[in-house]
Every structure is written in C-alpha cells, then in structure tokens.
Amino acid sequence: MRRLKTIYVSTAPGARTRGVLRAGPVTWPVALGRGGILANKREGDGGTPRGTFRLVRLWWRADRHPRPATALPVRRITASDAWCEDPADRRYNRPVRVPAGRPGDRLRRDDHLYDFVIEIDHNSRPRVSGRGSAVFLHLARPGFAPTAGCVAMPKERLRQLLKGLGLRTKINIR
C-alpha cells in the first residue's frame, strides 16, 4: 500500500456506532464510540471525537505478533504501560508506567483489543482536562461492538492499513 496522506472515518448510514474508514481507494467497516462521533468530546461520554488528528505512534504486543510493517514510530507494550485518564492528574491523556498490582488503564490487555494500538493526538496540544483521553485506532470486538470512543477495525485490515501510515498521515473523523 502506498503512503497515505489522510484516512477518513465517517458514520455509516443509520448506525451512529458503526462507521466506514476510507484509505485511498479502499473502504472498510469500523466500530465507533457508543456515543457516535461528537464535536464536543468529554471524558467518559463514549464519543469518538470529530476533527483531523495526527497519528503519533503504533503500540504493539510483541509477545503475540511480529513487528508490523509501518512507517509510524513503533513501541512495544509492556506489562507496566498504561494511559492516564484521570482529569485531575498532571499526566492526563498521556502514557504512564504503572507497577503491577496498581490500578490504571492498562495497554496490555487479555482480550486482544490492544494488540495493535495507533495513538491519535486528540486533546494533546494543548491538553485540556476533561476533554477526552485515550483515543486510539485499535482492534474491533466481534460484531463491531461499540468502543469507549475509539475507532476499531479487524486485525488483518489494521495490519494492511499500517503499511500505508506514516508520521505525515492524518486521520479525519467527520
């Protein structure tokens, strides 16, 4: 797949939690947040944020899959990797390290949803407390069940998409 400048995500007709992702000439179904696509994203609303965002990096489970082909920066997910979703924390909407046995939104999950996670720069420059955190492009649940606010797609489609992504690729959610 050639390098993509922009990928587009929009709501599928008649289903606010289902969408379509267009990457060059291909279109694939995706799952969206339980709140649909929202222009005024808030922490915990289940909405997928509307806007155009940078793709920051790929996080991946090296213990489950070989390193995927992509021009994005790649980081292995370890047992201590988590994401800060607490609006009162100075590390809000950033990756954090959490020791074993401590609470936190872990990136290393048993259910495989985060085996491949593309970090999207929603609410990162500047970070605004309560405007939403941990918005990713990750693997979909069976039947494209809604996400907590992310965009999700099947593993083989995501692996194929990764080949066309780089630091200059944007995601436009509309």
Side-chain angles (χ1 to χ4, degrees), residues 36-171:
I37 295 175
L38 301 175
N40 193 20
K41 170 88 180 119
R42 296 283 183 201
E43 189 68 42
D45 64 8
T48 300
R50 180 183 310 275
T52 301
F53 310 102
R54 290 181 318 106
L55 304 178
V56 178
R57 76 176 60 94
L58 170 71
W59 297 76
W60 120 94
R61 288 288 300 264
D63 59 320
R64 292 181 174 166
H65 306 278
R67 182 185 174 118
T70 188
L72 286 172
V74 179
R75 183 167 166 184
R76 294 171 187 245
I77 296 173
T78 68
S80 62
D81 286 320
W83 206 265
C84 182
E85 295 181 324
D86 179 358
D89 193 309
R90 66 178 173 75
R91 301 169 302 166
Y92 177 65
N93 197 28
R94 292 185 184 157
V96 293
R97 299 276 182 166
V98 178
R102 302 279 308 270
D105 185 26
R106 304 250 175 212
L107 296 181
R108 191 175 188 127
R109 297 170 55 134
D110 292 334
D111 64 9
H112 295 272
L113 294 182
Y114 285 6
D115 282 8
F116 299 98
V117 178
I118 300 171
E119 181 182 338
I120 298 172
D121 80 341
H122 165 72
N123 192 27
S124 63
R125 293 184 202 177
R127 246 172 218 92
V128 177
S129 181
R131 296 293 292 178
S133 63
V135 176
F136 305 128
L137 177 57
H138 63 73
L139 300 182
R141 286 184 172 91
F144 291 94
T147 70
C150 298
V151 176
M153 61 193 302
K155 179 174 62 177
E156 290 313 313
R157 298 268 167 88
L158 183 55
R159 288 180 67 95
Q160 186 177 351
L161 178 65
L162 281 167
K163 294 175 186 175
L165 303 181
L167 280 175
R168 293 187 176 173
T169 306
K170 306 276 189 210
I171 184 169

